[in-house]
Amino acid sequence: MQKNIPVTWSSMPTFEEYCETIRPLWDSRWLTGRGALHREFEEELKKYMQVPNVALFANGHVALEVTLQTAALKGEVITSPFTHISTSHSIVRNGLTPVFCDINEEDLTIDETKIESLITDKTCAIVATHVYGYVCHVEAIEKIAKKHGLLVVYDAAHAFGETINGVGVGNFGDASMFSTHATKVFQTIEGGIVSYNDKERFAAIEQITNFGIVGNFGVAGKDTIEYVGTNARMNEMEAAMGLCNLRHIDEEIAKRKVLADRYTERLSDVKGLRLLKPQQGVKYNYAYYPVIVDGFTISRDELIAELNKHSISARRYFYPSVDSAECYEGKYSAENTPVSHYYADRAMVLPMYADLPMEDVDRICDIIIGGRNV
Ligand SMILES: *Cc1c(COP(=O)(O)O)cnc(C)c1O
């Protein structure tokens, strides 16, 4: 029996390092709610991400929901359908209407040349996803947003640790959400980080994360409840995992790069497989290794099944194009976003994690290349 190769595998510190980091909790008994580790993690993140402000959350999805609630928007939001269902859910769950804009073929991010034709007098924001760490065309989007007075929020769940021309990716747009779920490149078990630029505009973000309570935590008679907030707090065990993993993140990304380079070397000349080209000026985190199966001897789904037969997990990602999710049935026409639908049927990601052995990358490539003869 061949060993299983998962599609992802969480990076973790040593058991001792984690235990050392959480040890103070056995004295303080302060387990959640802006504790000492939470605050230390925020400071370390601001330095690492080179951003002015961060807020921490229980998960990435709720971080996006709270960010949109804090911005107090109304109306329509232009967004990409080639993303995690979380992106559009965060819009709908805020009482806003998603308007799907198609994606571009080079890097599968929102096609900024199609945004302006979708703007109406109800449009209030653009919420776009950095896909597999390939960043949206941030300058062009910024120009459109400025011209029409729109807020820009990035779903940067895939982009932790990246820079664009040396600038931390979290500086672009008004706010960016990074997921630190166990399967992401940088993980805190469950968790989310929002970086934001305008302190005033997002002043309520932490209060909305804590039931909308404003005032002195726990000081009798001093609290007022100014927002219909939620409970979206990150706890101290998660912040500790983040503090530990942050110490090793550069090494982890460097290991992923070596593996990604090998995949590229082995697969770039295979007819019917398309690899995405690196974008100019972007320092990647190698969170995923995407492959577009287009004109190959077998279909994307058959290739995934073939890998599964060899105990290798590969997955469709993203699938389906979000506008065709069952919960939106009858609301959107696939004809408006043909490129997204095309790639939802052809894109997949291969196993990628820092501890993936190079022999396994070679074995995966052998099977894929062999797939030509299936
Ligand atoms: C993972 C992910 C999310 C959701 O993050 P969670 O931390 O799992 O809630 C949102 N958007 C994208 C693009 C993601 O990959």
Side-chain angles (χ1 to χ4, degrees), residues 59-61 83-84 86 129 155 157-158 177 179 181 184 191 317-318:
N59 58 68
H61 174 75
T83 182
H84 193 296
S86 165
T129 302
D155 179 335
H158 291 185
M177 179 282 283
S179 163
H181 181 255
K184 308 290 185 189
Y317 202 57
F318 297 103

Side-chain angles (χ1 to χ4, degrees), residues 75-305:
E76 297 171 359
V77 175
I78 296 176
T79 189
S80 159
F82 194 71
T83 182
H84 193 296
I85 196 72
S86 165
T87 320
S88 66
H89 278 358
S90 71
I91 296 167
V92 177
R93 288 171 59 83
N94 269 287
L96 301 160
T97 306
V99 173
F100 293 107
C101 176
D102 212 355
I103 57 171
N104 74 71
E105 303 224 34
E106 297 107 72
D107 51 44
L108 314 185
T109 62
I110 196 165
D111 183 348
E112 74 279 2
T113 66
K114 299 199 174 118
I115 292 177
E116 279 196 291
S117 66
L118 299 171
I119 295 176
T120 70
D121 55 1
K122 297 204 190 82
T123 309
C124 58
I126 299 168
V127 176
T129 302
H130 299 316
V131 177
Y132 315 129
Y134 288 79
V135 295
C136 295
H137 305 168
V138 292
E139 278 175 23
I141 292 171
E142 168 103 37
K143 260 197 208 135
I144 296 167
K146 273 231 167 86
K147 184 170 154 199
H148 298 273
L150 308 177
L151 188 87
V152 178
V153 176
Y154 288 110
D155 179 335
H158 291 185
F160 185 85
E162 296 195 337
T163 59
I164 305 177
N165 297 321
V167 178
V169 70
N171 290 284
F172 296 92
D174 295 278
S176 298
M177 179 282 283
F178 299 83
S179 163
T180 55
H181 181 255
T183 57
K184 308 290 185 189
V185 73
F186 172 66
Q187 65 93 9
T188 65
I189 310 171
E190 289 270 7
I193 304 163
V194 170
S195 63
Y196 55 96
N197 290 320
D198 185 344
K199 227 182 157 137
E200 299 268 297
R201 174 122 204 206
F202 291 96
I205 197 163
E206 265 150 24
Q207 285 120 27
I208 292 175
T209 303
N210 186 42
F211 302 108
I213 300 170
V214 178
N216 287 311
F217 280 90
V219 178
K222 296 274 177 165
D223 290 346
T224 57
I225 299 143
E226 300 195 7
Y227 310 94
V228 183
T230 183
N231 175 359
R233 298 180 299 242
M234 178 178 280
N235 68 51
E236 291 288 277
M237 294 284 180
E238 291 166 334
M241 183 61 86
L243 279 167
C244 292
N245 282 334
L246 195 58
R247 293 179 199 129
H248 308 289
I249 184 71
D250 286 334
E251 267 166 75
E252 296 285 303
I253 291 174
K255 286 198 211 163
R256 286 168 177 267
K257 180 179 186 328
V258 175
L259 301 167
D261 286 348
R262 178 67 140 240
Y263 272 131
T264 303
E265 182 193 324
R266 298 272 331 259
L267 300 177
S268 55
D269 292 331
V270 178
K271 190 168 170 289
L273 297 185
R274 180 156 86 80
L275 311 178
L276 299 182
K277 289 204 184 65
Q279 295 169 310
Q280 275 263 305
V282 177
K283 182 179 152 272
Y284 285 104
N285 61 10
Y286 303 94
Y288 299 91
Y289 197 87
V291 175
I292 315 297
V293 184
D294 192 0
F296 194 54
T297 48
I298 54 177
S299 71
R300 186 264 319 261
D301 292 352
E302 286 165 337
L303 183 55
I304 290 174

